Amino acid sequence: MRQLYTFLIIIGFAQFAAAQQYPLFTNFITNKYGFNPAINMDTAGVCANLVFRKQWTGIDLAPQTMIAGVRGRVKPFPIGAGGYFFTDQAGVLKRTGAYGMFNFVQTLSKDTRISVGASVGFYTFRLDDSYKPPTDDFDQLVPSALDGKQFADFNAGIYLEHKGLYAGFSVPQVLERQFDFTDLAEKSILLRHYYIMAGYRHKLNDKIWVEPTVLVKYFETAPLQVDGGMKITFDKFWIGGTYRKDDAMTAMAGVNWDNFGLGYAFDVTTSKLRTVSTGTHEISLEMCLGK
């Protein structure tokens, strides 16, 4: 039994190394800063965000992710600053961390600006406290994994805006930290992820805006992943949808009033997991304060 539990944990680490390691969000249109620290705010002030994602409901120990952050632009200086805390859990494996974000904005012309940014942080990768070994004298792997491993890392990005057009490139987990909890398994590597995002916000009239977007994600041990989406804003309300290749189709809706925003997304699984999962839920909240 001890050997079986050890084997299952090692297999879990191996699957982590081969799967997408960086938190995944469906509503990336309103959560761009979560993967690109170069993104700045249009006006002075402070905004706080909270996003919670429950993936593949109906499957025990399915992934769930939460990110909470605050960010702002410091006028009259062309800089932005902020930070966020996140927790990301899949099965009994859990990662928690906190990052500080900084970016610098340069105006190139009346309608064009570019920004570069980085986020520097610290996180822990460990077994969840709910995991209980079958015996007190269990293999040293479990106590070591419950204590966890701590790392410092940073993310970098660049972001360009021209009128309603925007595009960005970012690289999370730049340092590609390595870790292991036992000599029985090879080291796992937190691989660099590469994100390319583009979109266009077009005004149809005084109350209706359309915003097509695309997000491309790549890292070494997985195939290229492409999300394409559309958001339509009617004054204070918006609706939208995305398609994630070989994974899911999504319906989204939200409302913005005064300085508060609420959004919801539901993923319909299109992969083989659709036979055991009833879908994925994601909710986001935002509150912005004055200057």
Side-chain angles (χ1 to χ4, degrees):
M1 180 63 72
R2 290 171 56 187
Q3 292 176 341
L4 175 61
Y5 273 74
T6 301
F7 173 76
L8 291 175
I9 296 171
I10 293 172
I11 288 298
F13 293 147
Q15 289 177 335
F16 173 83
Q20 174 156 327
Q21 303 165 348
Y22 202 71
L24 170 70
F25 292 104
T26 291
N27 191 2
F28 61 87
I29 300 175
T30 58
N31 188 38
K32 305 184 187 78
Y33 78 95
F35 56 87
N36 190 337
I39 293 173
N40 205 292
M41 295 179 62
D42 293 329
T43 59
V46 176
C47 284
N49 293 70
L50 174 66
V51 183
F52 177 77
R53 177 179 176 84
K54 177 67 174 176
Q55 194 164 334
W56 302 332
T57 53
I59 299 178
D60 290 339
L61 300 177
Q64 62 180 31
T65 304
M66 186 274 292
I67 180 171
V70 61
R71 68 196 192 283
R73 187 172 178 184
V74 186
K75 282 192 172 182
F77 307 104
I79 61 174
Y84 61 90
F85 166 83
F86 76 91
T87 175
D88 187 35
Q89 182 168 351
V92 296
L93 304 179
K94 184 176 184 180
R95 182 162 53 150
T96 58
Y99 279 78
M101 299 186 298
F102 309 91
N103 51 52
F104 174 79
V105 183
Q106 176 65 49
T107 300
L108 302 179
S109 69
K110 177 182 177 182
D111 300 315
T112 307
R113 65 179 184 173
I114 188 171
S115 60
V116 294
S119 56
V120 181
F122 185 85
Y123 56 85
T124 299
F125 184 72
R126 62 193 296 269
L127 282 177
D128 186 63
D129 291 331
S130 62
Y131 182 85
K132 301 297 182 183
T135 62
D136 292 336
D137 60 344
F138 190 62
D139 193 300
Q140 184 60 34
L141 169 63
V142 172
S144 176
L146 285 170
D147 290 339
K149 297 289 184 178
Q150 293 78 39
F151 308 96
D153 205 345
F154 78 95
N155 311 325
I158 186 170
Y159 189 70
L160 176 68
E161 296 175 279
H162 175 70
K163 296 184 178 179
L165 181 67
Y166 57 84
F169 174 72
S170 57
V171 185
Q173 300 181 169
V174 171
L175 297 183
E176 292 197 321
R177 305 306 298 265
Q178 299 184 24
F179 68 95
D180 63 6
F181 293 120
T182 173
D183 294 334
L184 299 176
E186 294 183 1
K187 287 183 178 291
S188 295
I189 303 176
L190 298 172
L191 295 168
R192 295 188 191 102
H193 287 46
Y194 301 92
Y195 286 75
I196 298 175
M197 179 190 61
Y200 180 65
R201 194 166 187 262
H202 178 64
K203 181 179 180 180
L204 294 180
N205 56 45
D206 290 339
K207 291 189 176 182
I208 301 178
W209 297 75
V210 295
E211 187 175 357
T213 57
V214 62
L215 178 65
V216 180
K217 294 165 280 186
Y218 172 76
F219 71 105
E220 184 178 342
T221 60
L224 188 74
Q225 188 175 75
V226 180
D227 290 38
M230 173 71 75
K231 178 183 177 183
I232 305 175
T233 302
F234 306 91
D235 195 11
K236 295 182 179 181
F237 300 91
W238 61 267
I239 58 173
T242 63
Y243 173 73
R244 186 176 306 118
K245 185 177 181 293
D246 300 325
D247 184 46
M249 294 186 297
T250 300
M252 302 185 296
V255 59
N256 296 304
W257 68 93
D258 294 331
N259 296 322
F260 187 79
L262 171 66
Y264 172 75
F266 178 73
D267 291 15
V268 178
T269 304
T270 58
S271 68
K272 293 182 179 180
L273 284 173
R274 65 182 180 275
T275 60
V276 291
S277 170
T278 57
T280 295
H281 302 272
E282 184 176 303
I283 188 168
S284 57
L285 299 172
E286 180 178 65
M287 182 177 65
C288 292
L289 307 178
K291 298 181 180 181

